Amino acid sequence: MISYVKGSLEYVSEGFIIVDNNGIGYKIYVSPKLMAGLGDIGSQVKIFTYTSVREDDISLYGFENFDELEIFNKLITVSGIGPKGALGIISTLPPKDFVMAVISEDVKEISKAQGVGKKTAQRIILELKDKFKSEDFIESTAFGESNGLAGDIVGDPKFETIEALSSLGYSRSESAKAVSDVYEEGLSTEDLLKLALKKLAKF
């Protein structure tokens, strides 16, 4: 298993790059979003990778950080979602936004990814929502040098409010939906909780 490839960016093509590491060129499939931020040919890059092994093929898929890799690993467990499809979803939705879309059962948001229709989005939510329900998920994303997803979730008013509402007895999905409906940039957890409770009281 190759955890990451670090080296010189030697070639960029549609859908993949080649990174030279000690004279070995690694072909890595990456999202357009990641490719756009890599810099010029010759730049030093570090790409976190997933090794896909099939009977007739071994391929590397690349990610900017462990957070994206964690979401990718969960997505490819969904029936009908392969590595390329998962990569497309990650390119459209950053990890934190994807988690929020799943727990709030936001089919429309997930359907924004290329090639993902309503039925596929519903299947993704159905098969993954239980994996994002507890503190175990947040703990599992506390990867070494990556402070991204774990730090974002722990300090994000939206997720803190969802946890508070869940502790009051509301389900995770109805809490997330209420938070999504009332959320505005800049709101504190306390203010967001008050607004979400008012929203839930009207249901």
Side-chain angles (χ1 to χ4, degrees), residues 20-170:
D20 177 89
N21 175 274
N22 293 324
I24 299 175
Y26 292 88
K27 180 180 180 180
I28 308 170
Y29 293 98
V30 298
S31 69
K33 175 176 169 287
L34 174 56
M35 190 179 292
L38 289 177
D40 299 328
I41 297 297
S43 299
Q44 290 297 303
V45 297
K46 182 178 181 180
I47 310 293
F48 296 93
T49 57
Y50 169 85
T51 307
S52 173
V53 180
R54 298 187 307 183
E55 186 176 337
D56 59 346
D57 180 65
I58 298 177
S59 299
L60 287 176
Y61 290 84
F63 310 91
E64 184 177 355
N65 50 52
F66 274 120
D67 301 334
E68 290 186 350
L69 179 56
E70 174 70 1
I71 297 300
F72 177 88
N73 282 328
K74 284 182 166 51
L75 275 166
I76 59 175
T77 67
V78 176
S79 55
I81 302 293
K84 289 186 179 180
L87 198 63
I89 294 170
I90 289 171
S91 181
T92 304
L93 290 173
K96 188 174 68 170
D97 293 343
F98 176 76
V99 174
M100 188 66 183
V102 170
I103 63 176
S104 63
E105 300 182 16
D106 192 340
V107 172
K108 184 177 180 180
E109 185 73 6
I110 297 174
S111 297
K112 289 179 180 179
Q114 186 175 2
V116 177
K118 181 179 179 181
K119 289 185 177 179
T120 300
Q122 290 172 332
R123 187 165 63 250
I124 289 170
I125 291 168
L126 179 65
E127 296 188 28
L128 293 185
K129 62 181 180 180
D130 288 341
K131 297 183 180 181
F132 297 138
K133 278 190 173 180
S134 70
E135 290 81 3
D136 293 340
F137 169 69
I138 296 175
E139 292 173 3
S140 74
T141 57
F143 301 112
E145 65 187 69
S146 172
N147 296 315
L149 187 53
D152 286 348
I153 288 178
V154 172
D156 191 303
K158 289 183 288 187
F159 288 94
E160 289 183 345
T161 302
I162 291 168
E163 290 301 320
L165 291 170
S166 297
S167 69
L168 293 173
Y170 294 100

Side-chain angles (χ1 to χ4, degrees), residues 157-158 161 179 182-183 187-196:
K158 289 183 288 187
T161 302
V179 169
V182 302
Y183 178 74
L187 286 174
S188 67
T189 300
E190 183 179 358
D191 292 337
L192 191 54
L193 180 58
K194 290 177 182 177
L195 292 171

